[in-house]
Amino acid sequence: QKEVEQDPGPLSVPEGAIVSLNCTYSNSAFQYFMWYRQYSRKGPELLMYTYSSGNKEDGRFTAQVDKSSKYISLFIRDSQPSDSATYLCAMSSYSSASKIIFGSGTRLSIRP
Amino acid sequence: DAGVTQSPTHLIKTRGQQVTLRCSPKSGHDTVSWYQQALGQGPQFIFQYYEEEERQRGNFPDRFSGHQFPNYSSELNVNALLLGDSALYLCASGLGGIGSYEQYFGPGTRLTVT
């Protein structure tokens, strides 16, 4: 069993829709939770990060962490065609914060 | 301010050969981590360098080795290449050694082993 599970998609939604991306994990030691966006043939770009449980909002993006369920989410409001990319959830523990464990990524396509 | 840079962009090697990939961290960063990303998968942690020493290592064989220089730049070396080593190799930089979860990635080096 992988430490981090993520639905690979692909996910296709119309422009303006709300997108929900999710990951589950098994390691209760994870404390730092990140979302990366990766365009084709590019390196991952850090979108958001949170520590422990709770919500964090940044513009059209909201990250949620539910440690009791070992479940994290990323919501994208008013989705745009430029949001089309692969979204990777990632996490690490307090004792090894820079050893980041990634999900396999969800490919998202926003239809104009 | 330059971000993380990697060279070369692409590389083609034959099975059994050796390869060296290079990374310069973002200005002000002192740690460099290396990741392997196979097609359709998320990046997998290879190892991290801090203060010119390997501080953490993932589940990769000894064929994978590295080095960090006094200017914080880093090299990844892979010996005895296998077909399965074909992947995108990503370098990420950050601050503060193992305590830094905030990592910034370079564009990667695409390695093809034939």
Side-chain angles (χ1 to χ4, degrees), chain A residues 9 23 29 32 36 45 51 64-65 72 76-77 79 85 90 106 108:
Chain A
C23 288
Y32 300 105
Y36 284 83
E45 170 194 7
Y51 173 71
Q64 290 185 350
V65 175
I72 70 170
I76 307 174
R77 292 183 298 280
S79 55
T106 298
L108 173 66

Side-chain angles (χ1 to χ4, degrees), chain B residues 10-45:
Chain B
H10 297 89
L11 206 50
I12 299 174
K13 290 286 189 178
T14 304
R15 273 180 302 175
Q17 286 188 317
Q18 179 264 346
V19 68
T20 297
L21 310 181
R22 294 176 177 82
C23 170
S24 291
K26 183 178 168 66
S27 178
H29 285 181
D30 57 5
T31 69
V32 172
S33 300
W34 286 92
Y35 290 80
Q36 180 195 67
Q37 187 175 24
L39 200 61
Q41 300 296 316
Q44 282 196 291
F45 178 81

Side-chain angles (χ1 to χ4, degrees), chain A residues 2 32 34 36 38 41-46 49-51 88 92 94-105, chain B residues 10 33 35 37 40-43 45 48 56-58 88 90 97-108 110:
Chain A
K2 291 183 179 180
Y32 300 105
M34 288 76 75
Y36 284 83
Q38 187 172 26
R41 297 190 171 272
K42 301 289 185 184
E45 170 194 7
L46 180 62
Y49 56 88
T50 56
Y51 173 71
L88 297 154
S92 60
Y94 181 78
S95 60
S96 297
S98 55
K99 182 180 178 180
I100 300 172
I101 308 301
F102 284 85
S104 57
Chain B
H10 297 89
S33 300
Y35 290 80
Q37 187 175 24
Q41 300 296 316
F45 178 81
Q48 184 200 51
Q56 294 188 95
R57 191 177 183 93
L88 181 68
L90 295 160
I98 63 173
S100 174
Y101 62 89
E102 193 174 341
Q103 301 278 307
Y104 293 87
F105 283 80
R110 186 161 299 279

Side-chain angles (χ1 to χ4, degrees), chain A residues 52-68:
Chain A
S52 195
S53 285
N55 294 357
K56 185 173 183 179
E57 188 172 321
D58 184 1
R60 297 185 294 112
F61 298 88
T62 300
Q64 290 185 350
V65 175
D66 182 349
K67 292 192 68 182
S68 62

Side-chain angles (χ1 to χ4, degrees), chain A:
Chain A
Q1 182 189 4
K2 291 183 179 180
E3 283 189 284
V4 181
E5 298 279 359
Q6 184 174 10
D7 187 335
L11 181 62
S12 180
V13 302
E15 184 175 354
I18 296 175
V19 175
S20 172
L21 303 168
N22 311 293
C23 288
T24 59
Y25 63 95
S26 57
N27 189 345
S28 57
F30 288 146
Q31 294 279 359
Y32 300 105
F33 303 92
M34 288 76 75
W35 286 94
Y36 284 83
R37 176 173 63 195
Q38 187 172 26
Y39 292 111
S40 181
R41 297 190 171 272
K42 301 289 185 184
E45 170 194 7
L46 180 62
L47 271 179
M48 298 185 71
Y49 56 88
T50 56
Y51 173 71
S52 195
S53 285
N55 294 357
K56 185 173 183 179
E57 188 172 321
D58 184 1
R60 297 185 294 112
F61 298 88
T62 300
Q64 290 185 350
V65 175
D66 182 349
K67 292 192 68 182
S68 62
S69 302
K70 296 189 177 66
Y71 188 87
I72 70 170
S73 301
L74 178 71
F75 297 95
I76 307 174
R77 292 183 298 280
D78 187 25
S79 55
Q80 304 294 312
S82 59
D83 294 328
S84 298
T86 295
Y87 288 79
L88 297 154
C89 64
M91 44 201 82
S92 60
S93 65
Y94 181 78
S95 60
S96 297
S98 55
K99 182 180 178 180
I100 300 172
I101 308 301
F102 284 85
S104 57
T106 298
R107 188 188 299 179
L108 173 66
S109 176
I110 308 298
R111 306 189 303 270

